[in-house]
Each structure stands twice: as structure tokens, then as C-alpha cells.
Amino acid sequence: MSKHAKPGSVTAVLVLLILIAVYQLVVGATAIVGAVAIDATNMADEAPAEAGAMLEAAEDNIAGIYFGAALCLVYAALATALAVMVGRGTPRARPWTIAVNTAFAVAGLALMIPMIYGLGAVLSAVFAFVVVGLMFTSGARSHFAATGAPTTG
């Protein structure tokens, strides 16, 4: 655990990870509720003609909606765990935060191609890449290096 003050970049990472976790939780839960509603009913037949085509497309891609929702919920859980690690100053927080956020940013953008994930992927990717960038600042590097095991000389 770090006994010195956190640099501003580390505090910003902590706040962003909390925002990411909340956003992903809301999006993932909403997507699951929507997918269950689409899966359980035949909304395309009951909806007006202009909405019917969109609902039919959603019914055809229901597995993608569940996958996108699961991805959001996994990212929310990981962002929460990373926020705890960053808040505690755990030495492994920096590499894990960089790896997880890079992976989810790239995956979210890649999933936009088959339209599994929507434009929210851009917002998520921007937040994730900002977190990664902040973890490469000198303040974050020195903070997490200072919280690690003592070096022998």
C-alpha cells in the first residue's frame, strides 16, 4: 500500500474506472433486459411497420445482443476490481489496468463491425484509452513503482 499521496493521473484513473464500471453495468443490464424482452415475445408482429423491421433485425441478432451485454457486465466487474486495486495502490494495478482496458477498447471497437456493439463502444473505447494513457504518465509510473516490493541494491 502506498503511504504517499496519489498523483492526479492516478486519481483520474480511479474516477474513470468507477465511471466505466457504472456505465458498463447500466448498459449491460439494459441490454439483458431488452434481449430477454425480445426473446420472450414476438414484438415484430405487434409493432408498427416502421419499427417491425428493426425489431426483426434484433430478433435475428439476439445472440449478439446477449454477447454484447455479457461483455459489458464482465468489463464492469473488471473495472470495479481494477478501481479497488488502483485505490489501494496495488503494484499489479498498473499492468492489469493497461492490459484490461486496451483489450476491452479494441474488442468493443472490433464488435462494432458486425453491429454487436453500438456507438457506445466508441465512448467506452475513448474512456479505456484515456485510462491507458494516464497509466503511462510519469506520476502513475512512479506511484505504482513506489508501492511495489523494495528493490535490493
Side-chain angles (χ1 to χ4, degrees):
M1 293 255 273
S2 174
K3 291 179 178 40
H4 59 283
K6 287 182 181 63
S9 58
V10 175
T11 302
V13 165
L14 182 58
V15 170
L16 285 172
L17 286 171
I18 292 167
L19 290 173
I20 288 169
V22 170
Y23 175 76
Q24 294 298 326
L25 182 63
V26 169
V27 170
T30 304
I32 286 195
V33 168
V36 168
I38 290 168
D39 212 12
T41 62
N42 194 0
M43 291 180 165
D45 293 341
E46 301 168 10
E50 55 272 355
M54 183 180 72
L55 289 170
E56 250 180 64
E59 287 175 357
D60 292 343
N61 197 22
I62 197 73
I65 296 171
Y66 280 119
F67 179 74
L71 186 66
C72 287
L73 295 176
V74 167
Y75 190 24
L78 288 172
T80 302
L82 291 171
V84 170
M85 290 172 68
V86 168
R88 289 183 177 170
T90 306
R92 285 186 237 136
R94 184 173 175 270
W96 276 103
T97 300
I98 292 168
V100 167
N101 281 281
T102 300
F104 275 94
V106 170
L109 293 175
L111 289 173
M112 283 184 69
I113 295 167
M115 295 305 290
I116 289 175
Y117 211 34
L119 285 180
V122 174
L123 178 65
S124 297
V126 167
F127 272 54
F129 283 137
V130 168
V131 166
V132 170
L134 287 169
M135 288 305 254
F136 279 106
T137 63
S138 60
R141 285 184 192 173
S142 62
H143 175 74
F144 289 106
T147 61
T151 57
T152 56

